[in-house]
């Protein structure tokens, strides 16, 4: 039943929780301490929400100055992704950027333009568009290449006029060495220009190599040759010397970081190079007559010469061959350049955000590209590879979607694995990969700056991981260093060795990212060191942010890492964070715990004299504990069998000393709340089905909160758990006792009324509710302990220590519980006694007043009965059976004492028998009243009741009855005698029909009082009670002289009516007296025989046949007996005569 | 015939006893649990376990016609249990500081225990708290004894003058008496608190040291 009650209560609490509606009542209790327990309960939610928003807001604020430029370009709402990913370290890209720019400007744009125009003109395939549809293609091309109309028309004319060349000279400019330095820094920025002397204006340029005297180009060119016999190839090496350095130009375009600036730069340089109008300085030139070149081709080193300089200017390595159609190298390179130009154009036109371009060109571009690859006869792999390479180059400055790369890579993995590509292509592939990788790892490192729930972000992440995963299945050529330290400054691996371990790098990136984030959090959540409490709040915030990050990682990212790369992302993060958190939190907590001082509230609990700081500190420490706990729980989930994770197993140890403080705080708060709950209790049942009021429910709610606190604490150490549970039970006991006291104090004074005549106390519903409330709380204790998880604790103790010890602990806990229940039970009893005590004056008064009227009225006890009736009815209808029985017993006990005193005092006042008779009646009614419904009360106070009844019976008797009672007791005494100290009387007796026959045989050993030592005895026979035998003459024997052993042998026959014979307590009294001639016969002794002891026979049996009966003679001894005293107290003649006669019979003591 | 005449005669024995919370402190192994078990169940276990955290027992004891219910909290002495036991100090009425007469260190640590108790018990400032100093294991031979009775007395004199008693939980010497003495000590202080200006409490205080200093084992005569 208690269980049920608890469960119901529990449901109620839950229900009200779910409703989230605070009643005014709740609010009043909670406002007392700012919702202390509720805060404990919801602390985490709030904390979480707060941190989530507050924390992130902080981060965002911090981010702004860093990203001002970017934000100008990127609109706020969609900006998340790009902004974050671009916010990579500034170090890595520098060198790449140079390469890209110079790389891009290498190709002779006009040449490529004509080539493409030529292809458009000679469009092939079934999808070939009609003549008029080519115009948009031309327009598109013109825009892409940024050429003016004049140039376009000119080149278009040339393309139209051009016939397919029969012979092509394929030139590969491989490298140069020993170049003469031209720049101040002792180096040059060399590029090559090549042309046929037959067509000097038609120049081809390589890319510019920065700051080197031994550049490597490995670039391919196809030159149409009309007259191979006479023509001469001229190769010039120039030192690139722009008016502005590339670096300066880069700075200039920094804000736009991309397409427009680059294109402009590229075009400018390309044009100047091709027209020869530039400030570049010639390093040297070499000429090669075509006729010297063998049909099979040739690779050779050529010396560079310069007019007016006899000294060699350096050597250039060239491969030469002829072919009838376009060389595949050239075609690929052409295609790549075309791709790049078109991509740049597309990006510019579509204004697409970084990371957003989905890899789809416009229709015109697609047509052009398709024509190019078809007319050049490029393979699918070559085209994919070209895309991979060119996209990678563009990606460096204008990031593209990782998905594109991932898809491209899918197509390339197999050809690469199977060696379907040339060594050179493979090299290019990895060079491109090197360009993509930094952004991949930056993405991972900066993952926190992404909008975590954004689908496209997660898409990008899986793109990145897919790229990494696929790349890790490939083997880069010997000597490749995928992760040069100059770019990957954050890598922890050995810097000297070429490194291609993608997984290890990913691990480093994740770790590094976590560490950076942690530092970031610390920097952005700075705090003043004091007071300590603020510092704890700082730790809470940091831990919460870290936890939030981890939570996010688990929620959004971990799965992607696991699926794409089988990488334990969240676990890796956790390990980083764990050590960081431990490093940060442990020393502080240890220090704080050491300095914790116990709360002061022993005296005047709940009065609010306490140290606020300690309270606050303890609470804050608990918050920190919860946050760290929640964090550690994530760890346990992530690495269930990993024994290395320290935090999950041990973090609670830091807080060990804090728990005592928390328990104290909880106790203190609970006491305060109980006080408040009692204060605002109106002492009306909470609803019609129950008999307790709001404060009882509130108190249970407080217990519930303590339980929640305990559950949240989830203390991992079993010995500690056991001890703390014992402490909590003891605290609950303390709370309950405190509640009982408060309750009792509250009802004190209720139900009392006073008018001119009297002061009266009536039991009120409030009193009953107060009792019920305490009992309700008391009954909940055992069930509450079950909620604390006592059984689980005992079970773990058995595992941890031994069954014996666990049993021992369980016994201890049970004792603590029993003690608590008993102590509160005592409080109830105390209150019940108080009620009875308050009722006592009225009861006494009514009883006494009634007694005064006993002689006159029959209904004189009505007021008493009404008072009892009213109050007991109230008690009965509100209290449970147990408590009602208890209070009934208490009232009865009080009442019987009062009654007793009443009897005694009235005995002293020598009230007439009617008084006592009526009082006796009253007593019988009262006994009946209190026995009602419960027989157990019978045993409550039997001695006093018996005594009282005896007295009332005696004093209520008529005098003759009393005298007879006296004689009956005399007979009892006679029966109890052991020795016949006053002599023996021998008689025979029988009832025959209506006759009583008595034969007095003799007497012996009589004890005369005479000084002469002898006597003259005779025996007189009385039938008692004399009232009933007034018609009978009292027979007597003759007097025998001077003997102590008289032989009488006298017969007496007495006629009795049947009523007389049937008399219930009839007695025969034999009195032996010494006849004195002076007239005063002296009493020698007497003996009593009950009628019931006299045999009844028929007429045929003679008296002589009866047995002789030896009666011990006795004298009265007990003047103090109640019955004698009662007779003494009487003033009627009968009594006075009797006493007068009886008194001399007593022997002087 | 006024009611007050009768109320005066309502001298029923109060059904509720005075509840006293007793805490037993002292180094691990001095026999705190044994003392409690001897007192409560008159039982001695030679091979008892270390106490985990705390143990609890209660027992009624009658002193000078007054019945007290002692709620006895026995604590674990080991340092690692410190933060487990200290929460139980709050609200104590009596504290037993125990040492073993054959363990000098446990005696030396009495001051630490006393301070720990005062620190965590939230005892009202300036209040004399009813401590009782108990030297357990007097059953050991005189060679094994490391702390003399006089020494312990001297320590008590210097530390607020609590009563001192030597006991043996093993052979039951003075165990009952120790608890009685503690309760008496509490009652004296309580009486002093209730009637701070009445002269006879001063007398009681003066008597106490005499009682104690007579002999270690004289304590048996004081009770019952």
């Amino acid at each position: 039943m208690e269980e049920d009650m608890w469960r119901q209560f529990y449901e109620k609490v839950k229900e009200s929780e779910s409703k989230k509606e605070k009643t005014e009542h709740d609010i009043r209790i909670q406002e007392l301490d700012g919702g202390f327990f509720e805060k404990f309960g919801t602390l985490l939610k709030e904390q979480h929400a707060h941190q989530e928003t507050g924390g992130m807001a902080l981060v965002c604020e911090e981010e702004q100055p860093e990203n001002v430029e970017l934000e100008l370009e990127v609109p706020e709402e969609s900006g998340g992704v790009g902004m974050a990913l671009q916010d990579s370290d500034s170090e890595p890209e520098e060198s790449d950027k140079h390469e890209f720019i110079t790389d891009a400007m290498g190709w002779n744009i006009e040449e490529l333009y004509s080539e493409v125009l030529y292809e458009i003109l000679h469009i092939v395939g079934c999808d070939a568009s009609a003549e008029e549809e080519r115009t948009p293609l031309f327009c598109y091309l013109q825009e892409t290449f940024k050429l003016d109309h004049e140039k376009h028309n000119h080149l278009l004319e040339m393309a139209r006029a051009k016939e397919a060349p029969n012979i092509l000279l394929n030139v590969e400019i491989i490298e140069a060495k020993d170049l003469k330095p031209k720049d101040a820094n002792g180096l040059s920025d060399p590029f090559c220009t090549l042309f046929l002397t037959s067509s000097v204006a038609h120049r081809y340029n390589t890319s510019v190599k920065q700051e080197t005297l031994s550049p490597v180009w490995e670039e391919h060119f196809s030159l149409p040759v009309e007259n191979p016999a006479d023509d001469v190839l001229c190769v010039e090496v120039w030192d690139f010397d722009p008016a502005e350095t590339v670096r300066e130009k880069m700075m200039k375009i920094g804000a736009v970081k991309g397409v427009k600036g680059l294109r402009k730069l590229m075009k400018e340089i390309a044009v100047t190079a091709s027209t020869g109008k530039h400030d570049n300085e010639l390093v040297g030139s070499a000429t090669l007559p075509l006729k010297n070149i063998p049909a099979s081709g040739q690779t050779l080193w050529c010396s560079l010469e310069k007019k007016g300089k006899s000294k060699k200017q350096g050597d250039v390595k060239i491969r030469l061959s002829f072919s009838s159609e376009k060389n595949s190298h050239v075609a690929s390179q052409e295609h790549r350049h075309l791709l790049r130009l078109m991509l740049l154009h597309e990006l510019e036109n579509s204004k697409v955000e970084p990371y957003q371009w989905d890899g789809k060109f416009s229709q015109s571009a697609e047509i052009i590209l398709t024509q190019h690859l078809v007319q050049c006869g490029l393979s699918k792999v070559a085209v994919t590879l070209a895309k991979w390479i060119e996209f990678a180059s563009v990606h460096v400055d204008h990031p593209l979607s990782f998905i594109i790369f991932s898809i491209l890579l899918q197509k390339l993995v197999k050809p690469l694995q199977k060696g379907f590509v040339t060594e050179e292509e493979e090299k290019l592939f990895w060079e491109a990969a090197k360009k993509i990788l930094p952004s991949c790892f930056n993405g991972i490192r900066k993952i926190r700056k992404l909008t975590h729930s954004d689908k496209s972000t997660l898409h990008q992440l899986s793109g990145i991981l897919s790229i990494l995963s696929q790349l890790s299945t490939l083997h880069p050529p010997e000597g490749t260093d995928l992760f040069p330290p100059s770019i990957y400054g954050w890598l922890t691996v050995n810097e000297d060795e070429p490194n291609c371990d993608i997984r290890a790098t990913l691990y480093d990136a994740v770790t590094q990212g976590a560490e950076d984030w942690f530092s970031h959090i610390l920097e952005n959540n700075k705090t003043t060191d004091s007071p300590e409490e603020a510092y704890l709040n700082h730790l809470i915030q940091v831990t919460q942010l870290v936890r939030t990050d981890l939570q996010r990682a688990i929620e959004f990212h971990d799965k992607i890492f696991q699926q794409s790369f089988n990488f334990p992302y969240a676990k890796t993060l956790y390990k980083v964070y764990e050590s960081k958190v431990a490093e940060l939190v442990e020393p502080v907590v240890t220090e704080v715990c050491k300095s914790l001082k116990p709360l002061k509230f022993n005296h005047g609990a709940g009065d609010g004299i306490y140290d606020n700081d300690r309270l606050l500190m303890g609470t804050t420490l608990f918050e920190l504990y919860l946050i760290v706990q929640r964090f550690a729980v994530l760890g346990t989930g992530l690495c269930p069998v990993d024994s290395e994770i320290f935090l999950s197993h041990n973090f609670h140890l830091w807080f060990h000393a804090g728990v005592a403080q928390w328990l104290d705080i909880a106790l203190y708060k609970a006491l305060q709340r109980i006080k408040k709950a009692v204060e605002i209790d109106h002492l009306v049942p909470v609803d019609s089905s129950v008999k307790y009021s709001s404060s009882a429910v509130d108190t249970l709610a407080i217990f519930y909160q303590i339980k929640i606190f305990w559950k949240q604490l989830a203390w991992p150490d079993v010995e500690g758990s056991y001890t703390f549970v014992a402490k909590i039970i003891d605290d609950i006991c303390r709370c309950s006792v405190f509640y009982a006291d408060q309750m009792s104090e509250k009802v004190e004074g209720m139900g009392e009324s006073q008018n001119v005549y009297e002061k009266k106390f009536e039991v009120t519903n409030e009193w009953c509710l107060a009792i019920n409330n305490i009992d309700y709380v008391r009954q909940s204790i055992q069930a509450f302990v079950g909620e604390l998880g006592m059984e689980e604790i005992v079970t773990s103790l058995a595992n941890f220590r031994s069954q014996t010890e666990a049993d021992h602990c369980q016994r201890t806990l049970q004792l603590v519980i029993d003690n608590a229940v008993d102590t509160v039970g005592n409080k109830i009893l105390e209150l019940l006694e108080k009620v009875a005590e308050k009722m006592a004056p009225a009861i006494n008064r009514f009883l006494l007043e009634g007694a005064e009227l006993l002689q006159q009225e029959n209904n004189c006890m009505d007021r008493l009965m009404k008072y009892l009736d009213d109050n007991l009815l109230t008690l009965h209808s509100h209290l449970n059976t147990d408590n009602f029985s208890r209070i009934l017993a208490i009232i009865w006990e009080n009442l019987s004492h009062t009654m007793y005193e009443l009897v005694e005092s009235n005995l002293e006042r020598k009230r007439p028998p009617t008084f006592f008779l009526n009082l006796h009646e009253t007593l019988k009614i009262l006994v009946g009243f209190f026995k009602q419904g419960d027989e157990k009360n019978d045993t409550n106070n039997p001695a006093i009741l018996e005594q009282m009844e005896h007295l009332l019976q005696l004093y209520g008797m008529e005098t003759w009855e009393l005298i007879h009672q006296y004689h009956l007791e005399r007979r009892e005494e006679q029966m109890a005698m052991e020795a016949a100290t006053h002599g023996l009387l021998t008689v025979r007796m029988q009832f025959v029909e209506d006759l009583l026959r008595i034969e007095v045989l003799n007497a012996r050993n009589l004890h005369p009082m005479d000084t002469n030592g002898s006597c003259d005895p005779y025996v007189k026979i009385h039938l008692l009670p004399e009232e009933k035998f007034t018609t009978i003459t009292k027979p007597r024997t003759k007097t025998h002289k001077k003997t102590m052993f008289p032989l009488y042998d006298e017969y007496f026959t007495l006629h009795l009516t049947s009523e007389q014979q049937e008399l219930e307590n009839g007695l025969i009294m034999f009195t032996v007296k010494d006849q004195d001639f002076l007239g005063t016969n002296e009493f020698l002794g007497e003996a009593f025989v009950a009628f019931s002891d006299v045999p009844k026979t028929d007429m045929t049996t003679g008296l002589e046949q009866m047995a002789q009966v030896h009666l011990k003679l006795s004298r009265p001894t007990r003047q103090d007996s109640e019955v004698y005293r009662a007779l003494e107290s009487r003033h009627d003649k009968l009594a006075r005569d009797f006493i007068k006669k009886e008194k001399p019979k007593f022997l002087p003591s | 015939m006024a009611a007050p005449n009768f109320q005066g005669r309502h001298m029923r024995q109060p059904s509720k006893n005075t509840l006293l919370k007793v805490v037993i402190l002292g180094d691990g192994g001095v026999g705190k649990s044994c003392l409690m078990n001897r007192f409560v169940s008159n039982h001695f276990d030679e091979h008892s376990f270390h106490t985990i955290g705390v143990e609890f027992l209660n027992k009624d004891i009658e002193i000078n016609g007054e019945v007290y219910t002692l709620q006895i909290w026995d604590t674990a002495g080991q340092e690692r249990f410190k933060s487990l036991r200290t929460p139980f100090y709050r609200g104590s009425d009596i504290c037993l500081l125990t040492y073993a007469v054959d363990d000098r260190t446990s005696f030396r640590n009495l001051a630490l225990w006393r301070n720990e108790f005062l620190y965590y018990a939230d005892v009202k400032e300036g209040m004399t708290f009813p401590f009782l100093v108990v030297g357990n294991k007097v059953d050991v031979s005189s060679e094994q004894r490391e702390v003399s009775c006089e020494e312990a007395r001297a320590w008590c004199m210097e530390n607020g003058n609590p009563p001192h008693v030597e006991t043996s939980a093993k052979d039951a010497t003075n165990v009952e008496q120790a608890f009685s003495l503690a309760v008496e000590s509490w009652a004296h202080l309580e009486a002093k608190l209730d009637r701070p200006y009445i002269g006879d409490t001063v007398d009681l205080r003066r008597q106490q040291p005499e009682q104690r200093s007579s002999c270690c084992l004289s304590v048996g005569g004081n009770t019952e």
Side-chain angles (χ1 to χ4, degrees), chain A residues 639-799:
Chain A
C639 346
V641 287
D642 197 334
S643 59
E644 278 175 39
I645 50 168
F646 170 80
L647 201 57
S648 319
H649 298 303
N650 297 303
F651 78 95
H652 66 281
L653 295 174
W654 313 337
F655 294 90
H656 212 260
V659 183
Q661 184 90 350
W662 301 333
L663 290 175
D664 255 11
I665 292 173
L667 173 62
Y668 171 73
K669 289 288 184 183
L671 292 179
Q672 271 197 322
R673 281 196 162 201
I674 287 170
K675 198 178 159 73
K676 184 78 178 178
V678 171
E679 216 169 86
I680 62 175
D681 193 349
H682 298 301
L683 287 171
V684 287
V686 286
D687 63 59
S688 57
S689 66
V690 297
K691 288 173 178 170
Y692 46 82
S693 62
S694 67
S695 64
V697 179
D698 289 340
T699 302
L700 250 59
I702 292 161
F703 291 178
Y704 172 79
Q705 296 289 0
I706 292 177
K707 190 206 96 174
I708 298 286
F709 158 75
W710 173 242
K711 290 280 171 195
Q712 283 199 343
L713 185 64
W715 194 251
D717 161 43
V718 63
E719 288 182 351
S721 287
Y722 153 72
T723 316
F724 293 140
V725 162
K727 170 68 180 155
I728 289 173
I729 299 168
D730 196 41
D731 286 346
I732 290 297
C733 173
R734 213 178 141 119
C735 287
S736 306
V737 167
F738 181 74
Y739 175 66
D741 286 341
Q742 293 287 312
M743 206 69 243
S744 158
E745 212 172 275
K746 186 179 179 88
V747 290
E748 177 75 52
M750 285 183 178
E752 280 169 5
S753 60
Q754 192 167 15
N755 58 29
V756 191
Y757 308 106
E758 57 187 7
K759 219 168 121 179
K760 204 166 83 178
F761 169 80
E762 295 277 358
V763 175
T764 60
N765 294 349
E766 284 87 354
W767 276 94
C768 297
L769 280 172
I771 292 161
N772 288 341
N773 283 343
I774 300 169
D775 209 27
Y776 181 66
V777 168
R778 184 186 71 93
Q779 286 178 25
S780 71
I781 294 176
Q782 180 82 49
F784 171 77
V785 176
E787 297 270 316
L788 289 177
M790 192 175 104
E791 279 176 25
E792 292 91 315
I793 291 167
V794 171
T795 313
S796 345
L797 262 176
N799 296 332

Side-chain angles (χ1 to χ4, degrees), chain A residues 39 93 103 144 158 179 253 294 298 303 332 451 464 520 594 654 685 694 724 731 740 805 900 971 1071 1080 1148:
Chain A
K39 200 177 154 208
E93 269 93 9
D103 203 18
T144 304
M158 277 175 61
L179 294 180
I253 61 169
Q298 179 185 34
S303 301
S332 294
T451 323
I464 290 175
H520 178 79
K594 222 185 273 173
W654 313 337
S694 67
F724 293 140
D731 286 346
E805 282 169 290
Y900 187 70
R971 179 179 171 266
T1071 313
T1080 49

Side-chain angles (χ1 to χ4, degrees), chain A residues 596-603 656 664 719 722 724 727 808 812 815 819 830 833 893-894 901, chain B residues 6 9 12 15-16 19 52 54-58 71 80-81 83-84 87-88 90 119 121-122 124:
Chain A
L596 279 179
K597 292 194 179 67
L599 296 181
K600 298 260 178 224
F601 65 92
N602 244 6
H603 310 284
H656 212 260
D664 255 11
E719 288 182 351
Y722 153 72
F724 293 140
K727 170 68 180 155
H808 191 83
T812 294
L815 274 173
N819 179 61
E830 224 173 82
E833 278 171 5
E893 208 190 337
N894 285 344
E901 281 153 16
Chain B
F6 290 91
R9 301 272 317 261
R12 276 188 307 109
S15 64
K16 196 178 69 79
L19 295 176
I52 301 170
V54 289
E55 266 184 61
F56 176 86
L57 286 175
N58 52 12
Q71 303 174 320
R80 73 188 177 95
F81 286 118
S83 57
L84 296 185
F88 291 90
R90 181 182 295 282
Y119 185 77
D122 190 10
K124 210 174 200 171

Side-chain angles (χ1 to χ4, degrees), chain A residues 13-39:
Chain A
V13 171
K14 267 195 187 159
E15 195 182 301
S16 65
E17 269 205 341
S18 65
K19 275 188 206 154
K20 288 277 181 200
E21 277 174 19
K22 281 186 186 173
T23 63
E24 194 186 339
H25 184 85
D26 290 337
I27 293 166
R28 287 186 65 188
I29 289 190
Q30 289 165 19
E31 76 193 5
L32 168 75
D33 48 21
F36 172 79
F37 283 109
E38 287 70 17
K39 200 177 154 208

Side-chain angles (χ1 to χ4, degrees), chain A residues 87-145:
Chain A
D87 177 50
S88 51
D89 304 300
S90 46
E91 11 60 55
E93 269 93 9
E94 294 296 343
S95 52
D96 275 358
K97 279 173 189 161
H98 294 294
E99 204 174 316
F100 167 65
I101 293 156
T102 48
D103 203 18
M105 68 193 191
W107 185 255
N108 185 325
I109 283 180
E110 285 171 26
E111 192 57 33
L112 180 60
Y113 192 75
S114 334
E115 195 64 40
V116 178
L117 285 177
Y118 179 78
E119 278 165 9
I120 294 172
L121 289 171
H122 298 92
I123 212 155
V124 294
C126 57
D127 55 341
S129 43
E131 190 78 23
E132 60 274 19
E133 284 173 29
R134 289 179 189 161
T135 318
L137 293 183
F138 288 139
C139 289
Y140 179 86
L141 210 57
Q142 191 186 343
E143 277 173 39
T144 304
F145 282 73

Side-chain angles (χ1 to χ4, degrees), chain A residues 608-626:
Chain A
I609 309 162
Y610 57 87
D611 189 336
N612 219 339
D613 279 355
R614 292 181 190 182
L615 213 57
L616 207 58
M617 176 69 98
T619 316
T620 314
L621 191 64
F622 184 62
E623 287 177 30
L624 180 59
Y625 171 83
L626 290 183

Side-chain angles (χ1 to χ4, degrees), chain A residues 416-702:
Chain A
L416 283 162
Q417 279 172 338
K418 300 207 167 161
F420 292 164
V421 295
T422 63
E423 226 171 84
E424 197 187 332
E425 281 172 329
E426 194 182 5
K427 207 174 151 198
L428 285 169
F429 170 83
W430 284 106
E431 287 304 322
K434 278 175 77 171
K435 288 176 187 165
I436 297 166
L437 282 173
S439 71
C440 290
F441 286 114
N442 278 334
I444 283 160
R445 286 172 60 201
K446 312 290 171 178
I447 201 164
R448 285 156 194 86
K449 295 176 183 173
L450 307 181
T451 323
H452 28 275
S453 53
D454 186 340
K455 264 203 180 133
S456 86
T457 309
L458 297 180
H459 218 50
Q460 291 297 329
L461 179 62
S462 63
I464 290 175
L465 288 164
S466 162
I467 292 166
L468 296 180
S469 167
Q470 293 184 69
L471 281 179
S472 69
T473 64
L474 299 172
H475 303 286
E478 196 84 12
T480 308
D481 187 1
L482 277 184
F483 306 107
S486 59
I487 297 169
Y488 296 86
W490 42 268
L491 270 182
T492 56
V493 292
N494 189 355
E495 290 185 13
D496 300 331
E497 306 265 320
N499 172 22
C500 296
D501 190 340
I502 290 173
R503 182 170 284 272
T505 308
L506 178 61
Y507 177 82
D508 271 9
V510 169
T511 309
Q512 189 67 36
E515 283 173 3
D516 287 350
W517 181 243
F518 193 80
S519 310
H520 178 79
I521 290 171
L522 278 187
E523 275 169 30
N524 291 303
N525 290 283
K526 282 205 177 108
T527 174
T528 46
D529 291 334
S530 61
E532 270 178 314
E533 196 253 332
Y535 193 67
L536 285 184
N537 274 323
H538 163 67
L539 295 184
I540 289 170
Q541 206 166 10
V542 169
T543 312
Q544 179 59 21
L545 283 170
V546 166
R547 202 198 74 84
T548 307
D549 184 56
L550 190 60
Q551 183 72 53
R552 220 176 271 150
I554 292 169
E555 206 172 317
F556 298 111
H557 306 140
D558 194 52
K559 205 191 271 175
I560 299 171
F561 274 87
Q562 297 275 12
Q563 283 173 353
S564 304
F565 204 13
N566 192 25
F567 185 85
Y569 177 65
K571 185 175 170 178
T572 310
L573 279 190
Y574 177 77
K575 285 190 175 179
V576 174
Y577 286 150
E578 187 198 67
S579 68
K580 291 278 179 192
V581 166
E583 203 176 284
L584 184 69
V585 175
E586 183 179 7
V588 181
V589 168
T590 311
E591 196 52 43
V592 166
C593 280
K594 222 185 273 173
S595 66
L596 279 179
K597 292 194 179 67
L599 296 181
K600 298 260 178 224
F601 65 92
N602 244 6
H603 310 284
D607 283 343
I609 309 162
Y610 57 87
D611 189 336
N612 219 339
D613 279 355
R614 292 181 190 182
L615 213 57
L616 207 58
M617 176 69 98
T619 316
T620 314
L621 191 64
F622 184 62
E623 287 177 30
L624 180 59
Y625 171 83
L626 290 183
I627 298 292
V628 175
Q629 180 197 53
R630 278 170 53 114
F631 174 68
V633 163
L634 286 182
T636 323
L638 288 171
C639 346
V641 287
D642 197 334
S643 59
E644 278 175 39
I645 50 168
F646 170 80
L647 201 57
S648 319
H649 298 303
N650 297 303
F651 78 95
H652 66 281
L653 295 174
W654 313 337
F655 294 90
H656 212 260
V659 183
Q661 184 90 350
W662 301 333
L663 290 175
D664 255 11
I665 292 173
L667 173 62
Y668 171 73
K669 289 288 184 183
L671 292 179
Q672 271 197 322
R673 281 196 162 201
I674 287 170
K675 198 178 159 73
K676 184 78 178 178
V678 171
E679 216 169 86
I680 62 175
D681 193 349
H682 298 301
L683 287 171
V684 287
V686 286
D687 63 59
S688 57
S689 66
V690 297
K691 288 173 178 170
Y692 46 82
S693 62
S694 67
S695 64
V697 179
D698 289 340
T699 302
L700 250 59
I702 292 161

